[in-house]
Amino acid sequence: MKTFTSKDLAQSHIKTLKEQGLSIGFVPTMGALHKGHISLVETSKQNNDITIVSIFVNPTQFNNAKDLEKYPKTIEADLEKLERVNCDFVFIPDASELYAPNEAAEIFNFEGLDTVMEGAFRDNHFNGVGTIIKKFFDIVTPTNAYFGKKDFQQLQIIHKLLTITQQPVHIVGCEIYREHDGLAMSSRNVRLSEQHRKAAPFIYATLLEVKKMSLQSSLIDIKSFVEKAFQEHPDLELEYFSIANEKDLLEATAITKATKTRAFIAVFAGEIRLIDNIALY
Ligand code: AMP
């Protein structure tokens, strides 16, 4: 496994690989890798000659300095995990390799995909995501890039980004990888207190209940059920719950197969913010 910190060295190595006609699968991450990330790497390995993983905690997508500062960093363990699954290439740039001093996020027109749910609660977050992914796609020039449905809104934003930048990358959305008790794997889970870790599977359990209800209940009834469930929960605080169409992420007016509807949730477990979602079709 080759490890690059320099953008120029990474680019010249990638150029050589591409000259050999090799396909490149790319998995952008912020590190603190878990099995969810590794499942993306494995999918990439199955479908590409070379798999490149980036590890970079992108400052422009954090609207909360404390959250950025506290983001878990486990680089040695990350490299071991990637080595174990025979990842070919890891790119670990310093921020100065990717951003000019004081460079801010580029502003994109994501046509409203960025103003709902995560966008409503994390100011400028998706411009930060778009900025870094555009930069990475320019450097890595992947054939395929892999993103988890855990961050479903981000996945839709990346699709929109490509219609704006016209970068020739094929995007693959990968299923959510969960702990045995249903909690969606997240780098943030290691920061949960024992009490909040015990409480957190309630989020997915509620989503499963929503999926069951979606066959016979009204949207209003489903929403009140979720709000009440969290109001009564001693350890978890609901930030938002939305049932939205996959394509435009706007609140659904009905749950139908045709529009592909999903339930989205964000919850605070103490100081830790957790998100999850489920398909309702
Ligand atoms: P992050 O390091 O959190 O930026 O995540 C890097 C990539 O891994 C993103 O495309 C995430 O959606 C994806 N990812 C994170 N957690 C999971 C999970 N539990 N299952 C599947 N993909 C995930």
Side-chain angles (χ1 to χ4, degrees), residues 28-30 34 36-37 40 71 147-148 150-151 175-177 185:
T29 82
M30 298 203 297
H34 50 66
H37 296 116
L40 268 55
Y71 201 84
F147 293 86
K150 155 96 179 359
D151 302 283
E175 291 309 318
I176 304 175
Y177 204 94
M185 290 207 179

Side-chain angles (χ1 to χ4, degrees), residues 27-40 54-57 61-62 71 129 133 146-152 154-155 158 172-179 183-189 275-276:
V27 184
T29 82
M30 298 203 297
L33 300 183
H34 50 66
K35 286 184 188 151
H37 296 116
I38 298 302
S39 71
L40 268 55
S54 64
I55 299 178
F56 180 65
V57 184
Q61 72 188 66
F62 284 81
Y71 201 84
V129 170
I133 294 299
Y146 297 81
F147 293 86
K149 292 185 187 175
K150 155 96 179 359
D151 302 283
F152 193 86
Q154 170 174 277
L155 174 63
I158 304 296
V172 183
C174 302
E175 291 309 318
I176 304 175
Y177 204 94
R178 299 181 179 280
E179 300 283 357
L183 175 63
M185 290 207 179
S186 162
S187 304
R188 291 188 163 89
N189 291 353
I275 59 169
D276 202 347

Side-chain angles (χ1 to χ4, degrees), residues 205-269:
T206 306
L207 288 181
L208 285 176
E209 200 51 42
V210 165
K211 190 174 170 99
K212 250 195 249 164
M213 286 177 81
S214 70
L215 297 172
Q216 73 265 0
S217 304
S218 70
L219 287 168
I220 291 177
D221 285 349
I222 296 174
K223 281 192 184 164
S224 343
F225 160 76
V226 172
E227 277 159 19
K228 188 158 177 281
F230 282 93
Q231 268 159 16
E232 288 171 0
H233 199 291
D235 297 316
L236 302 173
E237 194 190 325
L238 182 65
E239 185 177 54
Y240 68 75
F241 173 73
S242 173
I243 294 181
N245 303 322
E246 286 195 353
K247 197 162 189 285
D248 55 17
L249 301 180
L250 294 177
E251 284 284 327
T253 46
I255 297 169
T256 67
K257 260 193 185 163
T259 54
K260 292 198 167 180
T261 324
R262 236 169 224 270
F264 297 86
I265 196 164
V267 170
F268 275 99

Side-chain angles (χ1 to χ4, degrees), residues 1 55 73-82 84:
M1 184 171 79
I55 299 178
K73 289 174 194 71
T74 57
I75 196 71
E76 293 305 320
D78 290 352
L79 292 176
E80 264 173 41
K81 285 175 192 167
L82 293 173
R84 237 177 281 145

